[in-house]
Amino acid sequence: MALLEITGLSKAFGGLRAINGLDIYVDEGEVVSVIGPNGAGKTTFFNLVTGMETPDEGSIVFDGQELVGLRPNQILQLGMARTFQNVRLFPAMTVLENVMVGQHARTRAGLLGAIFKTPSQRREEREIEERSKEVLSFFGTRLAGYRHDQLSMVLSYANRRRLEIARAMATSPRLLLLDEPTAGMNPRETIELTELIGRLRSERAYTIVLIEHDMQVVRNVSDRVVVLDHGVKLTEGSYDEISTNENVIEAYLGRPAEMGA
Amino acid sequence: MTEAATVDARPARRATRITPVSIFLWALRIAALAIILYGSYLSISSGRLTASQWRDLFVFGISTGSVYALIALGYTMVYGVLRFINFAHGEVFMVGAMMAFYVANALAATTLWTSSPVISLLIVLVAAMATSTSVAVIVERIAYRPLRGAPRLIPLITSIGASFTIQYLVRGLVGPSTKAFPRVESLRGTTEIFGLVILKSQVVVIAAALVMMTGLYLFVEKTRTGKSMRAVAEDPETAALMGIDVDRTIVKVFAVGGAMAGVAGALWGLVFPSLNFFSGFLPGIKAFTAAVLGGIGNIVGAMLGGVSLGIFESVGPSLVLAGYEIPAFSQLKDVVAYAALVLVLIFRPTGILGERLAEERT
Amino acid sequence: MSQVVDAPVPVEVELRPAARLDMRRAVRLGLSGGVAMVLVCAIGMVAAFQPRMLIDPILPMGTFFLYLLPLIFGWTASQPPPTLEGFEPAKTGARNILAGALAGVLGGLCVGLLLIVITTWDLRGVFINLSPQLAEIISFGLPVAAAIPVIALVAGVVGALGGAIHLLSPRPRRATMSALAWVLVFSLFTDIFGQLFDALSLDFVIDFLYTGRGGALTIAGALVLFAVFFAFYWWLGGRESTLRQRVQAMPAGRRSRWQIGAAVIILVILYFVPRIMGPFVSQILVTAGIYLLMALGLNIVVGYAGLLDLGYVAFFAVGAYSTAILTSPQSPAFSPEISVLASIPFVMIAAAIAGILVATPVIRMRGDYLAIVTLGFGEIARILLNSEWLAPYFGGAQGITNIPDLQIGPITFSTPQDYFYPVFLFVVLAAYITYAVQNSRWGRAWMAMREDESVAEAMGINIVTAKLSAFVVGAILASFGGTLFASQIGSVFPHTFDIVVSITVLVIIIVGGMGSVPGVVLGAIVLIVLPNLLREFSEYQFLFYGVLLIVMMLKRPEGFIPSRRRAQELHAEELSQDAWLEIYGEKGLEEKVPEGTT
């Protein structure tokens, strides 16, 4: 049984069918890249899976549990967290707080606990902080030390992307959905992030689905590549398989020369 | 694991989980509907009001509703281009009504008022329009323009400030006393249109509002300026790239909205001859309700919404509240208006015609 | 480029001269200032303030407020342009004074124009305040032809003074401005200082400073006050470190002893405040405290959770009416006549229910619609309380009277002086809750929701619970205010719970600084205490609020005492610092940033 099992998923905006009868599965421990030209429905696919939009048809089963109809917070609770294409942090909160928010669903203290400073609340608060720092330490010196108390809005672009991944990691997910994690990064940062994705799997054992445009990243990290176009699955397979698939080249890659880069 | 793709395809379904919140909202919806229907049944079956009285209420509703519609245009147009609720728009209306009152009062002392009422009313109208337009444009310049691109609630809070400022400036300038619009002799009494006996003043109000709204509709749909307004409403950045001066267009939107509010102010005097510095608040709220009811951002919707709200407000208390034999139900007239506001925003925030621009823009 | 990377400090390049002060801006500001001056005259403020002397016999309050405007506009008009990177800092000099004077003169000429209008036509039929008395005041009693140059001159001089402020170096500037501010405070709030010196048996100070009890400052008194405060602030400005820095530099043990000591001293002073100040000032403080309590509650709803509630007064009404019904023998339908203290748990329950009832329908609503719907709820509540229909339960327009005093054990609180203490206690409680919640799981959830609701939900926050809990906490704090209000006043009437209360509370948190407790305290003092102390001012209170809302949103949306995070939002230069670090990083240098750079 696959970890994530999507069958017959469809979503239309007005007349536009963004996703049309999509079947996708993701196995435990896999890194799956979703690629496709702009407007292929990749981000909509993420929005549907995480419950931020409701599908018109189809079912999404995660670890044996139907997700359609659940609110995003309930879906996260089940062990799935995402990042956003256009980096959506909580800008007026500090780096550490952003990550601490990620643990909201994994903790239980209530308002009264905070007001009366009960021992269990204080212990939990300490644990949240420690765990957040531990998650941030995954990024080396990038988000360490004095940066904990900086507002996330003052971070550089690449650091914001890292922080978003950290926030998703803090939710203790089994499945991470990364929406164009290297978009807007320079080549050096892209290489660093590619390594990071590898470490996410090897050190933290996350299953990962990522949307990516950078073919080098796709080749380096993915076990399997799914190609979307106009809301339907064009093909899937290993990177080498899809890179030679004529349909894919026609729909998306256009110039095979780019592939070899 | 490729066989995973062949796992039984579950029947496509559109599951929505039932949450306490949705239960609450459904209960509220049903309760509101039941209260309205049962109250209407009770009061109609009691036969307290005759058919002609109901008709009078209805016509009165249409005439106040057309005033709301005129004010609502300002809300809806500003919301269309800037995506914020111009809370001070009710005060723009009030200032126009004030000016109408003073000009009418001055004219009433001359012979022009009785000899040629049409000309004097036109003078009043123009004066009110000019005043409201200027106030709307000044407020835009001082309070809103520097806030382009600020988070949504910031201009809303500023407009609350502008609303208070205008109210209390007017109070300081002309005093807190309630003013009475002078009577227009030739508009007293009733007239018969299509077999209906209607107060002449109401005829004037409805006709004037219709003319203004038609004019505005044609202006927005047909003229160059109107097109640029629609373009800015659709997408300001692209409009700017296409060579439209966004700031000037926004000023024009405020000016047109202000002019409509000024007309509404002048007409208000004919329907409700009492006015003070606070008179803009409630009509403002109601007009906003009308704008939402019609689908905010939608000009035709604002007209429809205004008239429906006017009718609802005029007929509602006698129809629903009187049915339950509530003592002094006219005290609760404004509750009906606010309840309409709350119910519309909760259950139909996209309005009758739906928001023309469904997409959220930040 | 390599040079840039090697040196942490950007390369030294020749700085270009700064832009010169824009005189057209001065003209524009002068005319705006003139319009403002004319309006201040026309709404009757000048004439209403005139009978009150600030400094006897040279400075009446009306004239002072009128010419405060050219000072402010002159100061703004002569403000040096900001220093841009690559440019020299702007030079200050005669041009600043000139700009200020220009703005002032233009303002004065506008007033001169008004004078001509008033003396030529009688416009009192429309503008009720354009009276001959006003003409008398603004013309300084001179004939029109002579008055206009005098007005322009005075305004010009005041404007020039405003410009001259920029010429002072920081230390004398701070000392002068602070000393002037204190002179103003002493002249405005003569009652308070009268009470204070009276209680301290320092009658001779009153006799020297003032023309009598509740009178104006004498010239000598004003000069001495100025000198004393100038000297004090001059000394303050000369110290190397502030008291706060020194306290922070202390070892932990000593620091906490210091802090406890300071807290004790403050509490002792507060204990004596109502006794010294008498019933009038105590009443104002109690009112301000109740507003402060509401403001702290609304701060959680708006400042933390980002839900703009314009019907907040409804929760205040719930508190007041619940207490009234439960305690008063006059309660029409149901009157268990329990004590005020015993009513508090029930009040909390009622407020929580009200909070849930208001919040549930608006959970999925956009921010601006939420504001309008809550406003609608607030108004519905007021109209229903006022209606004859529900009069058998709530007393209608007659309200509910005979609410007993608060009684805790053997102590009965009856006078305003007595009420100061419980109000203070509740304010401290609310402030504590605000702090405690801020750095907690739900506090973070609220802030995340404020920042981006859909992302917050995608990060596992239950939006329904978060919104309901914010509303409930806010409602309970406001209902405490209602309880205290009802038992202190002894009666409740529906007209008290007007929309202006909601707006006032909103103005308090916006002026003070959303999310910041000291800011909210300052906001309550400025917006409630000051207008109530200055009786002449109460007429213009709401105008003042409106103008303040606009000005704050335009110039200082983070408030006067912003919370730590909002202050940080302004430090955009850290972004560029980050950009530098990225460049270093790319070149293979590690980020070597010492701790505490921020």
Side-chain angles (χ1 to χ4, degrees), chain C residues 239-268:
Chain C
R239 286 172 322 146
E240 314 234 305
S241 58
T242 62
L243 188 64
R244 176 193 292 258
Q245 283 166 344
R246 264 184 280 166
V247 170
Q248 250 149 25
M250 283 175 193
R254 238 180 101 200
R255 185 169 63 206
S256 63
R257 274 202 302 280
W258 259 81
Q259 281 165 342
I260 291 169
V264 168
I265 291 171
I266 290 172
L267 281 179
V268 169

Side-chain angles (χ1 to χ4, degrees), chain C residues 395-447:
Chain C
Q398 275 73 50
I400 299 174
T401 51
N402 265 344
I403 301 165
D405 282 321
L406 175 65
Q407 218 171 352
I408 300 173
I411 318 163
T412 307
F413 297 86
S414 50
T415 62
Q417 285 109 306
D418 296 341
Y419 267 97
F420 178 84
Y421 304 106
V423 168
F424 181 75
L425 197 73
F426 272 101
V427 167
V428 170
L429 177 74
Y432 167 74
I433 291 177
T434 307
Y435 276 124
V437 159
Q438 184 176 22
N439 292 312
S440 75
R441 176 168 171 259
W442 281 104
R444 284 188 298 270
W446 287 335
M447 279 182 263

Side-chain angles (χ1 to χ4, degrees), chain A residues 42-250:
Chain A
K42 304 182 297 287
T43 295
T44 307
F45 164 65
F46 268 24
N47 286 345
L48 293 174
V49 172
T50 52
M52 296 181 80
E53 274 161 25
T54 322
D56 300 333
E57 277 173 16
S59 93
I60 305 167
V61 177
F62 178 74
D63 195 23
Q65 161 101 38
E66 172 66 55
L67 299 187
V68 174
L70 292 183
R71 302 286 321 173
N73 60 307
Q74 294 168 313
I75 292 176
L76 181 126
Q77 189 92 40
L78 294 172
M80 192 194 294
R82 71 173 290 186
T83 68
F84 296 86
Q85 188 181 354
N86 47 345
V87 193
R88 290 167 76 177
L89 292 165
F90 305 120
M93 297 175 79
T94 65
V95 168
L96 194 61
E97 281 172 339
N98 265 279
V99 182
M100 287 166 91
V101 166
Q103 288 175 63
H104 185 90
R106 301 282 169 243
T107 45
R108 48 195 326 135
L111 272 175
L112 290 177
I115 291 169
F116 294 111
K117 294 253 179 263
T118 55
S120 67
Q121 190 266 348
R122 278 164 36 198
R123 189 176 345 108
E124 189 182 279
E125 196 68 9
R126 247 192 336 270
E127 283 165 10
I128 292 175
E129 197 175 324
E130 275 163 22
R131 212 180 115 56
S132 301
K133 286 181 174 161
E134 189 270 322
V135 167
L136 284 170
S137 69
F138 184 74
F139 299 85
T141 55
R142 292 293 190 183
L143 293 171
Y146 75 102
R147 289 216 189 268
H148 285 171
D149 297 321
Q150 272 188 326
L151 294 187
S152 65
M153 66 167 72
V154 308
L155 291 181
S156 70
Y157 186 74
N159 265 344
R160 285 186 221 182
R161 284 230 175 266
R162 295 184 189 109
L163 177 57
E164 224 192 3
I165 295 174
R167 185 179 64 184
M169 287 165 66
T171 67
S172 316
R174 295 170 64 188
L175 177 63
L176 260 182
L177 301 164
L178 306 177
D179 196 343
E180 295 199 28
T182 66
M185 287 193 168
N186 64 34
R188 188 175 161 280
E189 289 162 345
T190 305
I191 293 168
E192 201 184 300
L193 203 95
T194 313
E195 286 164 16
L196 194 99
I197 294 172
R199 284 175 55 217
L200 281 175
R201 175 163 59 168
S202 58
E203 293 176 20
R204 306 265 162 161
Y206 294 131
T207 308
I208 296 171
V209 178
L210 76 154
I211 294 174
E212 191 47 71
H213 276 302
D214 189 322
M215 284 308 143
Q216 273 191 66
V217 178
V218 173
R219 185 172 64 183
N220 287 334
V221 303
S222 29
D223 298 323
R224 192 153 53 88
V225 181
V226 176
V227 189
L228 291 190
D229 191 24
H230 292 103
V232 294
K233 185 164 75 181
L234 215 54
T235 181
E236 66 181 304
S238 71
Y239 178 80
D240 294 329
E241 283 164 24
I242 63 112
S243 65
T244 50
N245 183 308
E246 300 221 332
N247 285 336
V248 178
I249 294 167
E250 191 186 311

